[in-house]
Amino acid sequence: MVVIGVRLAASGPAQSWLRRIAAHWWRERAGHRPDILVATRLADSPDAVAPVAAVTKAVTGTEPGLTSAAWEEVPGHRHQVLVCRGPRCAARGAEEGLRALVSELTAQRLGDDDVLVTQTGCLFPCNQAPVAVVQPDDVWYGRIDPGVASRIVTEHLAGGRPVGSHRLPRHRKERAEHHDD
């Protein structure tokens, strides 16, 4: 059996996790266990699958597990950004916004202790897609493009001021007030 990770977007699976998951599956099997080979790099297009499959490393069962003492505690981040990856957000450019968000976090030197970025399923204000939410501030953003994503990092996450131009009203009262403008 050959396991190949395919990353068609910036947020594909991490190569190290493919080995961990394949080894976990292999260790958990009773009786016959098939030989498992894991490609040593990810394919980034359908045409790259065959060349990537040509260079593999066998799973031995000694690979790290799915748990670690380092992952025992809740992370100490100040903010968590939930990035919608539902179908409408994905179709309207969530990937590009996510790339810009991560790039700007890196440029601002904001790591996992500062901001934890989590991709989610549908967050529902689909007509505002792509959508992202900053917690614990309870600030919802819509129509996130790369420029807006960079501003969210610079102005909100680093500067402490939500980006008003793309902030979505959160409560019914706010929606009513927002429509009066």
Side-chain angles (χ1 to χ4, degrees), residues 10 49 63 65 86-87 92 101 114-115 120 133 151 153 178:
V49 170
E63 293 78 8
R92 294 183 76 187
L101 183 83
D114 302 301
V115 179
T120 72
V133 183
R151 287 184 61 205
V153 173
H178 186 69

Side-chain angles (χ1 to χ4, degrees), residues 17 27 33 37 78 82 94 101 132 164:
W17 275 102
R27 283 190 297 267
R33 291 185 271 189
L37 303 171
R78 290 180 296 123
L82 306 174
L101 183 83

Side-chain angles (χ1 to χ4, degrees), residues 1-4 18-29 32-39 56-61 63:
M1 176 185 316
V2 177
V3 178
I4 303 166
L18 289 177
R19 290 192 60 72
R20 285 178 183 260
I21 292 166
H24 173 77
W25 179 86
W26 189 82
R27 283 190 297 267
E28 295 292 313
R29 296 292 158 264
H32 172 73
R33 291 185 271 189
D35 292 334
I36 301 176
L37 303 171
V38 179
T56 61
K57 185 174 178 184
V59 167
T60 64
E63 293 78 8

